[in-house]
Structures are given as C-alpha cells and as structure tokens.
C-alpha cells in the first residue's frame, strides 16, 4: 500500500475573481513507507504548494489525496489537525521556533496537542533533544542558538510525536553548506530508522543524498 | 493542554508584555476598585444608621408631620399641623400601654463667654424623654416634669457643645446663651455619634415649654412613642393612627415604627447601591473593550505562532481556548487587583466613616470581570481559531 497517493491533484490559487493561477497540474504521485524523496525545481515551480498539500496544511482544488489508504480530501479540520499531529512532522526553511521559549518547550509543543501530561511531554522532548545532540542547550532560547542548532531543534520537534512522515521545505535554505550538510546527514540517519522523508531543495548536492529525486517544473512533475 | 497549564501559559504571555498588560487591565482595575469602594461606603453608611436608629431605644414608634412615601400635594410640602395637644391626647389615650413624648427642634447659636457654637441643634423635649430614647448622663441630671411645666431655663448639653464653649471644664455653674436667653446647664450627656453627617453631640435639650416660648413655635417635629411590650408595636401604631385621624387628615402625619424606618433606609441605600454600581459597571465595560482591543492586536502579532501551532496539530478549539483563557486571565487579574485596591481604600476610608465590604460585592465584581473577559475575549479568540494555517504561517 502507498503511504502517500496523489491522484490527478490540481491546485489553483484564486487571487482575485478574474485572476487565478494554477500552481499544480495533474499531479500523480506515490510515496512508499521508508522512502527518502527529494523534490527539486526552480523558484515558483510549486514545490511548497505540493508539500503543504502533502502535509495537510492545504487542500487540493481537485483530485484526491490518500494518506495510508484513507482519503483526506473530505476530512474536516479537526481530523486534519489530528493527522498533522500524529502522522506528520514539519521542518521549515525559517525554523519557525517560538521566540522567548526554551528548546525543551519548543520541542514539547506538538505533544500538547496529543494530550500528554507535562511530565511525559518533557521526558519525550528531552529524549529527542538528546537524539539531535542538543542536550546542553535544553534551556536556551532560539536567539541563543546558531541556525544549524535551531534547525536541529525544529527537527527534534518534528520527530517528538513519532510521526510516519517528515516533511522539510528547504530545510537547508537558511544554512551554510556545512550545517546544511549536517542536517541532511541527520535526515539520512532518520531514514535508516524507518522514517519516510520528503525534502524540498533546489540544490543538487543536497538532493543527491536522497534515495529518489523528482523534478517539478511549472506545477508539473517532469521526471 | 489542560486548563491550568493554559492559565500558566497566559501568565507567561501577559508577563512578557508587562506594561501593555497593566495598561490593558487598568480599566477593569478601576471599575472593580470603585465597585468595592462605593458599595463598602454605602453599606457602611447603612449599618451605621441602622445601629444608630436601633440605639435610639426599643419598641419605638415615630409620629412625624406630613406624608412619607405618599404623593405630595400640588402645593409642595404640607403645612405642619402636629401640636402638643395631639401628643397630650395620645398620652392620655395610650396611658398604661405606651410612653409618649413630644419634641420640637430648632437650630440656633450658642454662646458662652467669648465662645460661639453656631448651628447647634436645640431640642425642646419633655421630662420623660430619657425613658424613650437612650441617653447616658456623664455629669449632672436631666430635668423633671415640674421643671418642664414651669418652663425653666435649664439645659442638658452634648459633649461637642462642651468642647466648643468650655473645653475641659465642668458644667457646674455654667450659664449658656441660647438664641439670646440665658440657660443654666444642669447636665452633660454621653457621646451619641452622628447620623447623616449631623453631629448628635452638638445639641442641647431644653424643656419643651421653654423651647416653644423661646422660639415662638407650637408645632411639633416628632412625637416618640415607646410601647411597654415589644409585641404591641403594630397595634399601638394603628391605634395612634386612628387617634390622630380624628383631628388630622391622612396626609398630615406619618406613623412609622422603628422597623419601617430601617426598611426605608435600606430602600434608600439600595437605590444608591444600584446607581453607584451601575456607574462602576460602565467602567468595567470600558475595561472590557480595552481587553478586546489588545487581544485583537495580540492575535495579529501572533499570527505566525497560530499558524505554527496549527501545523503541529492544534485544533481550532485549542487556539480559541488559548486566546479566550488569556483574555479571561487578564480580566480576572484586573478583578483581583481591583478587589485588593478597593479593600485597601475602604480600610483607609474606614478611618473617617464606617465602611464594610460585603462578601457579595467581592463575588459580584469578580464575577462581572470574568463575564467581561469572556464576552470581550470571544471575538478575538474566534478570529484566531479561524485563521488558515498556511496563510498564518506565511504572515509577515
Ligand atoms: N496564496 C497564493 N496565492 C496566489 N498565488 C500563490 C499563492 N501561493 C503561491 N502562489 C503561486 O504559486 C506558485 C508556486 O508557489 P510555491 O510557493 O509552491 O513555489 P516554490 O516552488 O515553493 O518556490 P520557492 O522555491 O521560491 O519557495 C508561485 O508562482 C506563487 O506565486
Ligand atoms: Mg517554497
């Protein structure tokens, strides 16, 4: 069974009544469990649009999206929130950590919405922080961390609910090549433990670490 | 996240913007402070007057000229037609059942040596007055029936009069000037306090007949009736009414029991409470608008945070509760600070006048600030909950 299955997915942005833009055109895509997929394409080609739909943050205009064999196209907002919480971990280009909030609390954040007690949340968060090698930065705030460290906090946060899928939209985009390389290595390590990883990038030398690369151009998968 | 953790989170957010939060809750603080303070003043006033009226004596019935609670005649205030004859008539008809005592009252200037006491109350009373109204003598004595009927120029004074005219001196041998005539001081009575801001101790009792002659008055200000048995108060009241009705028309007098007077006072203070409370409530509403305003700003400022929380799995209801509880925390914080301030101010005011903070006013103002928090917090919270996750995450 496909973990992620897109059938004829289209996304049309309606900016104004007469102005619309088709960002995704007839996307058919299957991702298996345990894959490490890189999506590569020029700026404006529709990569973020695609990954936001995969991450259930956005809905396709038409077509259908099955996650673990279950159609999500007509699910209500609460169901989508629950799926985002339990099945998906997000990593953003700009890290998106809460300011003035410690590493520990940032990583524990998604667990609030899974209904864990404070003790369980902090325990799980500490474990994940150790896994990304930031145990000594437990109480640091984001503005006290380097970009690479911030992104590792964000990855720990994405992992803390133990989701099936990690989605990363240009996770190395704001990092120098050294810390960028470290982040991709971390993804490779996670992929070896069985996580499915979908990563957007426009750098070939980042993409080459993935097991599979798809190219997107003007809203279409070209190869 | 449970309720208490959300409250804790709210406090963190509130403390992160200390000054702004303080200014936001100021409206609520002022509103609650004034509710607590004003209500404490009114209920203090009420309990003070109540104790004063109860302290007057027991089983009392007051007869006063004119109609209380009835419609006024087109000419305005009724002319006073209550005379000593009515009092004597009552005394005869009620003898054995009740003690009856007539009172006239004038304000006058008292003089002793080169000292003057302006605006003292001069009461012309009968010798049995102390039997009805509790008066404790500090020095000397009250006057007798024969002294009253003889119209002697003698006076029993209060301590404020003593303090003004001859402070620290004994009343022995003192002759004071009341409205141009010399009166011999024969007694000094103990402190009685004040009612409605009128110092009861800045007063003088002189025989009724002397007062009538001195001031040229034949109309009475009050007739006090005290029943022998407390269970008789109601029957004596209606008897009194029937006796007076033979000579006077119904709107020329009022017969009120002590209890009725107390309930009249509670009515007056009740109206005062509602009026003052209403004014304070308006400032609470203004405070609520302040909270709503700042919550709307906060939702806009934290759009990305909301988007992030949603991406991480927050449902709309989680976001809504977070913002609603934050508004509620703000307004309750304002409520608590207001209650403490109001309490302190009423303790300070208690140095000058009686104040009491009734529990209901604390409960009411806290409840009201909570309601204000919910009402004015709901719209911003719903706005936050409805944000689209993608648009919120991309918000600049
Ligand atoms: N909310 C929107 N309304 C209208 N058009 C949009 C909206 N979001 C994206 N677009 C358009 O859709 C196209 C695809 O955008 P998307 O963000 O998916 O590109 P991308 O491949 O992620 O680009 P980049 O590499 O620069 O991040 C772009 O042309 C963009 O202008
Ligand atoms: Mg993008």
């Amino acid at each position: 069974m496909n973990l992620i299955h897109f059938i004829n997915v289209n996304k049309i942005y309606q900016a104004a009544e007469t102005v619309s833009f088709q960002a995704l055109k007839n996307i058919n895509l299957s991702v298996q469990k345990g894959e490490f997929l890189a999506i590569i394409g020029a700026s404006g080609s529709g990569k973020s649009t695609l990954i936001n739909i995969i991450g259930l943050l956005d809905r396709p205009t038409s077509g259908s999206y099955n996650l673990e064999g279950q159609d999500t196209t007509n699910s209500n907002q609460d169901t989508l929130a629950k799926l985002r919480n339990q099945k998906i971990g997000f990593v953003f280009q700009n890290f998106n950590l809460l300011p003035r909030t410690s590493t520990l609390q940032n990583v524990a954040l998604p667990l609030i919405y899974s209904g864990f007690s404070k003790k369980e949340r902090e325990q799980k968060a500490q474990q994940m922080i150790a896994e990304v090698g930031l145990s000594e930065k437990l109480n640091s705030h984001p503005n006290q961390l380097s970009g690479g460290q911030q992104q590792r906090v964000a990855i720990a946060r994405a992992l803390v609910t133990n989701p099936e899928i990690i989605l990363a939209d240009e996770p190395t985009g704001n990092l120098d090549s050294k810390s960028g390389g470290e982040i991709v290595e971390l993804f490779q390590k996670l992929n070896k433990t069985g996580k499915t990883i979908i990563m957007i990038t426009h750098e070939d030398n980042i993409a080459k670490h993935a097991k599979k690369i798809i190219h997107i151009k003007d809203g279409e998968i070209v190869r | 996240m449970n309720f208490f953790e959300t409250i804790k989170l709210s406090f963190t957010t509130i403390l992160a913007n200390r000054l702004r939060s303080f200014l936001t809750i100021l409206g609520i603080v002022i509103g609650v402070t004034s509710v607590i303070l004003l209500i404490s003043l009114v209920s203090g006033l009420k309990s003070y007057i109540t104790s004063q009226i109860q302290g007057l004596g027991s089983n009392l019935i007051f007869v006063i000229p004119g109609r209380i609670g009835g419609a006024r005649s087109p000419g305005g205030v009724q002319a006073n037609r209550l005379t000593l004859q009515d009092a004597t008539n009552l005394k005869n008809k009620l003898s054995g059942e009740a003690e009856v005592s007539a009172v006239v009252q004038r304000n006058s200037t008292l003089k002793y040596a080169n000292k003057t006491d302006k605006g003292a109350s001069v009461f012309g009373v009968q010798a049995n007055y102390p039997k009805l109204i509790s008066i404790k003598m500090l020095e000397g004595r009250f006057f007798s029936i024969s002294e009253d009927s003889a119209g002697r120029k003698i006076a029993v004074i209060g301590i404020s009069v003593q303090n003004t005219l001859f402070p620290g001196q004994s009343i022995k041998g003192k002759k004071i000037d009341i409205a141009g005539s010399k009166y011999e001081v024969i007694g000094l009575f103990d402190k009685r306090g004040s009612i409605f801001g009128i110092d009861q101790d800045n007063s003088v009792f002189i025989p009724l007949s002397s007062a009538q002659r001195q001031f040229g008055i034949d109309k009475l200000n009050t007739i006090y009736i005290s029943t022998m048995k407390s269970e008789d108060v109601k029957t004596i009241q209606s008897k009194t009414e029937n006796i007076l009705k033979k000579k006077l028309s119904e709107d020329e007098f009022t017969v009120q029991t002590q209890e009725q007077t107390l309930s009249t006072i509670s009515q007056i203070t009740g109206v005062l409470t509602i009026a003052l409370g209403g004014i304070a409530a308006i400032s609470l509403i203004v405070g609520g608008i302040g909270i709503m305003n700042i919550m709307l700003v906060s939702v806009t400022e934290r759009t990305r945070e909301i988007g992030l929380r949603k991406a991480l799995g927050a449902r709309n209801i989680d976001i809504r509760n977070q913002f609603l509880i934050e508004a509620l925390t703000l307004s309750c914080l304002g409520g608590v600070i207001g209650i403490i301030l109001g309490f302190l101010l009423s303790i300070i005011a208690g140095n000058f006048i009686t104040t009491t903070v009734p529990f209901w006013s604390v409960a009411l103002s806290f409840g009201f600030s909570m309601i204000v928090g919910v009402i004015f917090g709901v719209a911003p919270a719903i706005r936050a909950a409805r944000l689209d996750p993608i648009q919120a995450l991309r918000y600049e």
Side-chain angles (χ1 to χ4, degrees), chain B residues 71-80 251:
Chain B
R72 293 238 180 249
S73 64
V77 186
Q78 285 282 336
N80 185 357
D251 56 359

Side-chain angles (χ1 to χ4, degrees), chain A residues 52 57-58 77-78 81 84-85 90 92 94 96 98 109-110 112-113 118 121 157, chain B residues 1 5 8 304-305 308-316 318 322 389-390 393-394:
Chain A
N52 287 339
L57 285 171
D58 210 351
Q77 293 192 26
D78 284 356
R84 286 198 292 268
N85 185 248
F90 277 101
F92 304 93
N94 56 3
N96 264 329
L98 290 184
L109 190 61
I112 286 175
Y113 304 110
K118 191 173 191 294
R121 295 201 305 257
R157 181 180 66 192
Chain B
M1 181 152 50
E5 282 187 73
K8 240 176 94 181
R304 283 177 63 125
E305 175 191 329
L308 175 71
R309 285 177 185 272
K310 285 194 162 186
L312 300 181
R315 293 166 302 160
N316 291 359
D318 294 316
Q322 183 186 341
I390 281 291
L393 269 173
R394 286 215 185 124

